[in-house]
Amino acid sequence: MNSATTTEYKHILLDDRQVPFIKGTSMKVVELVTSVQAYGWSPEELHFQYPHLSMSQIYSALAYYWEYKEEIDADVKRRFEYSEKLRQDAGESTLAKRLRQEGLIK
């Protein structure tokens, strides 16, 4: 990371591509948000799952998300679509093919 820009949120910085991340970590706000969306985790559960983050960092990231929800939700969608494309391009793994042939998966 070459440079970071400060934001109005104490624990949130923007990297050189303007992607928000939690100061003092390499965790992007979008990564924390996907944990909330995927698992329904509360701030306390986020702290349990990511003990390297303080509650203040977590609340700052969540506040940043709600301020920039539209942009971050669009980023989540782009990431999902990209991963789906990679998955489809890769095709079925040899392990999955073998398990399917053996009737262990459908």
Side-chain angles (χ1 to χ4, degrees), residues 35-69:
S35 293
V36 172
Q37 292 174 341
Y39 307 113
W41 289 346
S42 67
E44 292 77 14
E45 182 66 22
L46 289 167
H47 182 58
F48 177 78
Q49 297 295 331
Y50 304 112
H52 65 285
L53 298 177
S54 70
M55 290 300 291
S56 183
Q57 287 172 311
I58 290 167
Y59 277 108
S60 189
L62 293 174
Y64 185 94
Y65 167 68
W66 285 106
E67 184 74 25
Y68 297 96
K69 183 179 184 317

Side-chain angles (χ1 to χ4, degrees), residues 1 11-13 15 19-35 41 46-47 49-54 57-58 61 79:
M1 197 164 310
H11 298 288
I12 306 303
L13 298 174
D15 69 12
V19 175
F21 69 97
I22 300 171
K23 184 178 178 179
T25 75
S26 60
M27 181 173 265
K28 295 172 181 63
V29 170
V30 68
E31 295 167 343
L32 191 73
V33 167
T34 56
S35 293
W41 289 346
L46 289 167
H47 182 58
Q49 297 295 331
Y50 304 112
H52 65 285
L53 298 177
S54 70
Q57 287 172 311
I58 290 167
R79 289 168 184 260

